Amino acid sequence: MVINLKYYVITIVAIFLAIGIGIFIGIMLDGQDLIVDQQKEIVAQLESKFDEFKIKQDSLQEKIDVLNLEKDKNERFLNKIYPELVKDKLKDLNVMVLETSEHYDYSGVNDAFKKAGVSNVTNMIIKEGNKEGIIEIAQEFGIAGDSVDLEEQIIKKFCDVLVSGEDKAFIEKLKEKKIIDYADDFIVPADYIVIAGGSIDKDQNIFNKFDQPIINYSKSKNIPIMAVEKIEVAYSNIGEYKKLRISTVDNVDTIIGKISMLMVVSGQEGHFGEKETADNLVPEGFITVD
């Protein structure tokens, strides 16, 4: 039998392939064991880290629970002393609270003024969108101009009534046409005006349409005016109020904010609250019980 060179070559190649495959399989088996060991080590490290995080989380939760208990105690304490703290601090004063947005409830502001003993507090809500009512009122009261000019003139006349106390029928007509709303009889002239605001849109349409004209007019007539907001509003106008140089309180939905508001009405000035635009939490010279 004659064995040619081709047979030897094929045989040698087959042997080397077998050896190579064997080595590769051996390496893979060893590598799998190494990967498994690494995975076990990683899992152990993760479990250790998880245990550390769990311990930290439990510790932080305990601190949060303690702080919440302390916060509840402070709130209960403030609720107890708050009425005595502000009692009869604002006698003989007629306050007008103008809510320039229908989207935020500021009824708590009225309660604060009543606790402070004001003679009268009137809460008015300025509504949006009744263009037909504006046209009808303009015709009835002899106001001429385009739609934008009509709104400006009606706001001016509205402010005139608040400041002068004359022509209350105009205010009543605004309510009848659902341009404004108020629950009780209103007392004018106002000794102090509080703008209760906060925008629902980034463009601050409400501020430009209502807040700014009312503030500018009140300042021109030397009627004291300030602005308040709740902590949670979609878009804060406090920065804009500051530019108009009136005092502000940005947390009027809290007891501390209500006290700050009453202190501003009693003569303090500045920007108070919890937002970045605030200069201090409360005014200096805190209200004291007589």
Side-chain angles (χ1 to χ4, degrees):
M1 179 177 176
V2 179
I3 300 174
N4 60 26
L5 183 62
K6 181 179 179 182
Y7 173 81
Y8 285 113
V9 171
I10 292 172
T11 302
I12 292 170
V13 169
I15 291 170
F16 279 108
L17 281 173
I19 293 171
I21 291 170
I23 293 172
F24 177 74
I25 293 171
I27 291 172
M28 288 296 294
L29 290 174
D30 288 342
Q32 285 181 348
D33 292 338
L34 180 61
I35 290 171
V36 169
D37 290 340
Q38 288 177 339
Q39 288 176 339
K40 287 181 179 178
E41 185 178 348
I42 290 171
V43 169
Q45 289 176 353
L46 290 173
E47 288 177 346
S48 176
K49 287 291 183 185
F50 178 79
D51 291 338
E52 289 179 17
F53 287 139
K54 184 69 169 60
I55 292 170
K56 289 180 180 178
Q57 182 186 22
D58 291 342
S59 176
L60 288 172
Q61 188 60 52
E62 288 178 5
K63 291 179 181 178
I64 290 171
D65 292 340
V66 170
L67 289 173
N68 282 333
L69 285 173
E70 193 66 27
K71 178 175 176 287
D72 290 340
K73 289 179 184 177
N74 290 336
E75 287 182 353
R76 287 199 299 271
F77 174 72
L78 281 174
N79 279 321
K80 289 288 185 183
I81 69 167
Y82 165 54
E84 288 299 322
L85 215 83
V86 302
K87 185 178 180 180
D88 295 333
K89 295 296 178 181
L90 298 174
K91 288 182 178 179
D92 304 322
L93 198 65
N94 290 330
V95 177
M96 181 69 64
V97 179
L98 297 179
E99 296 187 31
T100 55
S101 172
E102 301 178 69
H103 303 278
Y104 306 110
D105 178 20
Y106 285 99
S107 56
V109 170
N110 289 32
D111 181 66
F113 282 117
K114 289 175 181 176
K115 281 184 169 63
V118 300
S119 298
N120 180 76
V121 54
T122 303
N123 183 287
M124 285 190 178
I125 301 173
I126 299 177
K127 296 176 171 289
E128 296 180 78
N130 189 358
K131 292 184 178 180
E132 291 182 1
I134 289 174
I135 293 171
E136 290 174 7
I137 288 177
Q139 291 173 346
E140 184 171 341
F141 286 86
I143 300 172
D146 58 29
S147 59
V148 175
D149 189 49
L150 285 181
E151 287 186 349
E152 291 177 354
Q153 291 191 60
I154 284 175
I155 289 173
K156 182 179 180 299
K157 186 168 179 61
F158 171 71
C159 293
D160 269 333
V161 177
L162 297 186
V163 172
S164 67
E166 299 174 356
D167 203 359
K168 291 177 63 175
F170 182 77
I171 300 288
E172 292 167 353
K173 185 61 68 171
L174 290 177
K175 181 179 181 180
E176 180 186 318
K177 298 299 181 181
K178 302 187 185 308
I179 295 170
I180 64 170
D181 194 19
Y182 51 90
D184 304 316
D185 188 27
F186 63 94
I187 304 297
V188 288
D191 299 312
Y192 207 108
I193 296 175
V194 177
I195 298 286
S199 288
I200 59 166
D201 61 90
K202 189 187 323 188
D203 296 328
Q204 298 175 315
N205 291 327
I206 292 175
F207 172 83
N208 295 326
K209 192 174 182 180
F210 300 119
D211 300 44
Q212 186 169 347
I214 292 171
I215 291 168
N216 288 335
Y217 183 86
S218 300
K219 289 179 66 179
S220 72
K221 297 295 182 179
N222 294 318
I223 301 299
I225 186 167
M226 68 172 296
V228 299
E229 276 185 358
K230 292 187 167 188
I231 293 177
E232 297 295 335
V233 295
Y235 295 95
S236 174
N237 290 329
I238 295 294
E240 299 303 316
Y241 295 137
K242 290 178 73 173
K243 292 177 184 177
L244 295 175
R245 299 184 180 279
I246 63 170
S247 294
T248 61
V249 174
D250 66 34
N251 58 344
V252 78
D253 48 331
T254 68
I255 291 178
I256 290 177
K258 290 182 178 69
I259 293 172
S260 295
M261 176 188 68
L262 297 176
M263 292 175 69
V264 169
V265 173
S266 68
Q268 298 278 4
E269 294 182 352
H271 308 286
F272 309 104
E274 303 174 38
K275 299 177 185 176
E276 293 181 356
T277 43
D279 296 332
N280 295 289
L281 178 62
V282 294
E284 294 183 6
F286 202 72
I287 293 177
T288 57
V289 180
D290 294 334

